[in-house]
């Protein structure tokens, strides 16, 4: 049977291949030259094509935490299947080492190879659940590292994980806690386009529910929503009983032990997406002049009782802009004269005094006036608020 994944290369942002893993035969590093060519053509690292066709292989990759995970495929396979596996690999490194970085992977290279050997069997995903892997390969600790260096032993477990012998492979058997606890975090991101008049052109919400379950035995949980019809394109953890969701719109499941992502979803009902901030801006350039005016103000659109924080504003200025002399009432700004990108780190909004950034824009003398004003990209965070208004209730 043909392999699904033949080889895996880990590449940093400098283009160095710092780790490679092959199943059966070795594929030369030169196959990554096709990836490097695509990387050079891309405007930024996130625009590298996830699937690259070569004369003898397919390269399927993801970009996570400033690292590229590049897999080599010899036959046609569903690309999303491979991409999901690569994300599982990155999530496993994050879970084991606390971070998915080049330094962490190099410091734990033996465990990395042991994990990859267990996660993929003959080119096909085998064990990708954290509960199972932690019984197969013990997570690194200082004490275990010292003992292994003295005794010459490894982190590989002595017994087969109990979960792999049951029809619930994502949960290990015999879990016991003194205090039984279950936490659910709802994280939502708004993706919206707003025109000059303040009207919403496009808006949708991307959301996830992350769980931290610390319950003894084999708990059977249910999670219901006040407004489940809002959810589109729902992606489930394998523990979810899909038939009950289809019939009752209730999440019924026996959860893994510890941290995991229960579902991800999308809310596309544009009229339900309330944009919590507004921006007043005036960016003007005069004809036959070497300067222009820049003035933007940010404020909360409605009183939600929550603080809007972590606000950053990014503006890609026209190429004729040489420099910007601005004064912020709050936070700090930087302007890169090479990339023409203005970054304003606002912080949090206080309703008593709205943050603003205003000043002069210096242009190339003799250059024609820019035809269009630049667009503004605004990012922010609101703690303990589901912007979609979704409410849920869990019970055992």
């Amino acid at each position: 049977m043909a392999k699904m994944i033949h080889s895996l290369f880990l590449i940093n942002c400098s283009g160095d291949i710092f780790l490679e893993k092959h199943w059966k035969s070795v594929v030369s590093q030169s196959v990554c030259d096709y990836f490097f060519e695509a990387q050079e053509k891309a405007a930024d690292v996130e625009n590298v094509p996830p699937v690259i066709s070569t004369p003898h292989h397919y390269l399927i990759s993801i970009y996570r935490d400033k690292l590229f995970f590049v897999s080599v495929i010899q036959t046609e396979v569903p690309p999303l299947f491979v991409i999901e596996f690569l994300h599982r690999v990155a999530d496993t490194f994050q879970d084991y080492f606390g971070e998915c970085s080049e330094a962490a992977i190099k410091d734990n290279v033996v465990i990395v190879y042991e994990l990859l050997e267990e996660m993929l069997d003959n080119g096909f995903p085998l064990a990708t659940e954290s509960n199972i892997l932690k019984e197969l390969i013990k997570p690194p600790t200082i004490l275990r590292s010292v003992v292994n260096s003295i005794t010459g032993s490894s982190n590989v477990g002595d017994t087969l994980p109990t979960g792999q012998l049951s029809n619930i492979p994502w949960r290990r058997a015999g879990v016991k806690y003194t205090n039984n606890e279950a936490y659910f975090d709802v994280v939502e991101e708004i993706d919206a386009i707003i025109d000059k008049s303040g009207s919403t052109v496009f808006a949708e919400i991307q959301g996830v529910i992350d769980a931290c379950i610390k319950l003894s035995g084999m708990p059977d949980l249910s999670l219901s929503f006040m407004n489940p019809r809002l959810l589109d394109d729902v992606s489930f953890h394998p523990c979810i009983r899909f038939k009950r969701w289809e019939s009752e719109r209730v999440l019924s499941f026996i959860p893994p032990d510890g941290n995991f992502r229960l579902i991800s979803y999308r809310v596309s009902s544009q009229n339900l997406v309330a944009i919590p901030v507004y921006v007043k801006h005036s960016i003007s350039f005069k004809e036959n002049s070497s300067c222009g005016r820049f003035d933007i103000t940010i404020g909360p659109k409605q009183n939600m009782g929550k603080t809007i924080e972590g606000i950053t504003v990014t503006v890609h200025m026209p190429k004729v802009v040489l420099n910007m002399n601005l004064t912020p009432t709050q936070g700090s700004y930087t302007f890169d004269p090479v990339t023409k990108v203005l970054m304003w780190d606002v912080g949090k909004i206080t309703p008593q005094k709205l943050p603003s950034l205003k000043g002069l824009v210096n242009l190339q003398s003799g250059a024609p006036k820019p035809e269009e004003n630049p667009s503004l990209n605004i990012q922010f965070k609101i703690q303990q608020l589901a912007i979609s208004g979704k409410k849920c209730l869990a019970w055992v």
Side-chain angles (χ1 to χ4, degrees):
M1 184 181 293
K3 293 178 182 295
M4 192 186 86
I5 297 176
H6 198 283
S7 299
L8 176 65
F9 296 94
L10 267 58
I11 304 173
N12 59 23
C13 285
S14 302
D16 300 323
I17 301 173
F18 66 92
L19 187 138
E20 59 184 274
K21 168 66 177 171
H22 307 278
W23 286 267
K24 199 173 181 181
S25 60
V26 176
V27 175
S28 173
Q29 290 187 359
S30 60
V31 74
C32 293
D33 291 344
Y34 296 97
F35 173 80
F36 295 137
E37 289 177 10
Q39 188 180 15
E40 290 178 2
K41 295 177 183 177
D44 55 62
V45 291
E46 294 185 354
N47 288 336
V48 177
V51 181
I52 301 171
S53 178
T54 75
H56 303 289
H57 305 89
Y58 295 97
L59 303 182
I60 301 179
S61 64
I62 64 168
Y63 181 69
R64 286 279 299 268
D65 301 302
K66 299 182 180 180
L67 298 178
F68 287 100
F69 291 72
V70 182
S71 61
V72 180
I73 316 296
Q74 288 188 324
T75 57
E76 288 193 18
V77 298
L80 291 178
F81 197 68
V82 180
I83 288 172
E84 175 63 23
F85 173 76
L86 295 179
H87 278 294
R88 287 292 184 97
V89 172
D91 291 340
T92 300
F93 292 167
Q94 175 78 35
D95 189 24
Y96 264 71
F97 313 133
E99 59 178 351
C100 182
S101 65
E102 180 180 358
I105 292 172
K106 285 181 175 178
D107 290 343
N108 299 278
V109 67
V110 174
I111 297 178
V112 167
Y113 278 111
E114 290 172 345
L115 286 170
L116 291 175
E117 196 65 39
E118 296 294 343
M119 295 183 75
L120 212 67
D121 179 37
N122 196 37
F124 289 87
L126 178 63
T128 58
E129 289 293 335
S130 178
N131 280 212
I132 300 299
L133 287 169
K134 286 181 178 178
E135 288 192 69
L136 288 167
I137 311 295
K138 303 298 181 184
T141 62
I142 296 176
L143 178 60
R144 188 173 289 127
S145 299
V146 172
V147 172
N148 289 349
S149 62
I150 295 174
T151 62
S153 57
S154 69
N155 286 31
V156 179
D158 298 327
T159 58
L160 187 67
T162 52
Q164 281 194 316
L165 303 177
S166 71
N167 59 352
I168 310 173
W170 53 83
R171 185 174 181 85
R172 59 192 178 95
V175 181
K176 291 183 180 180
Y177 286 101
T178 304
N179 297 319
N180 290 289
E181 301 171 321
Y183 300 96
F184 297 93
D185 289 331
V186 180
V187 182
E188 294 185 339
E189 296 182 0
I190 304 174
D191 187 5
I193 299 174
I194 302 172
D195 63 16
K196 191 175 182 180
S197 64
S199 301
T200 302
V201 178
F202 166 82
E204 72 173 13
I205 295 173
Q206 302 284 347
V208 299
I209 298 180
D210 289 330
C212 178
I213 307 297
K214 298 181 179 180
L215 299 174
S216 303
M218 199 66 68
D220 199 328
L221 307 183
S222 294
L223 190 70
S224 64
F225 301 96
M226 298 292 290
N227 41 8
R229 300 294 174 184
L230 293 178
L231 308 184
D232 299 320
D233 298 337
V234 186
S235 175
F236 301 98
H237 188 277
C239 69
I240 299 292
R241 298 183 178 100
F242 185 64
K243 286 187 177 180
R244 187 170 180 191
W245 169 260
E246 279 191 315
S247 60
E248 304 176 38
R249 283 296 187 265
V250 171
L251 295 178
S252 176
F253 57 98
I254 296 176
D257 179 44
N259 299 294
F260 67 99
R261 176 153 294 173
L262 185 65
I263 66 169
S264 61
Y265 60 89
R266 181 173 62 90
V267 178
S268 58
S269 301
Q270 189 162 298
N271 58 334
L272 297 174
V273 181
I275 310 301
V277 299
Y278 70 86
V279 180
K280 294 181 179 178
H281 64 284
S282 175
I283 304 173
S284 58
F285 306 103
K286 296 181 180 179
E287 197 71 52
N288 301 321
S289 176
S290 60
C291 68
R293 296 289 304 176
F294 186 93
D295 186 353
I296 60 175
T297 303
I298 301 177
K301 201 168 185 179
Q302 53 191 356
N303 184 16
M304 297 172 293
K306 302 291 183 181
T307 303
I308 303 173
E309 56 189 10
I311 303 173
T312 58
V313 180
T314 305
V315 186
H316 291 265
M317 300 299 292
K319 294 181 179 180
V320 296
V321 175
L322 292 177
N323 209 340
M324 304 181 72
N325 298 315
L326 309 175
T327 302
T329 60
Q330 181 178 322
S332 59
Y333 82 95
T334 59
F335 176 73
D336 189 338
V338 178
T339 60
K340 312 297 183 184
V341 175
L342 167 70
M343 290 282 295
W344 180 24
D345 186 358
V346 181
K348 66 174 63 176
I349 291 181
T350 54
Q352 294 78 14
K353 187 177 181 182
L354 300 180
S356 65
L357 180 66
K358 58 181 67 177
L360 294 175
V361 180
N362 300 320
L363 310 176
Q364 296 177 11
S365 58
K369 173 187 173 183
E371 296 181 359
E372 296 180 355
N373 283 336
S375 59
L376 281 67
N377 187 305
I378 302 171
Q379 294 181 326
F380 56 87
K381 293 187 294 186
I382 304 176
Q383 300 285 353
Q384 298 180 343
L385 176 70
I387 202 68
S388 65
K390 177 167 52 60
K391 297 179 180 179
C392 52
L393 175 67
W395 67 90
V396 180

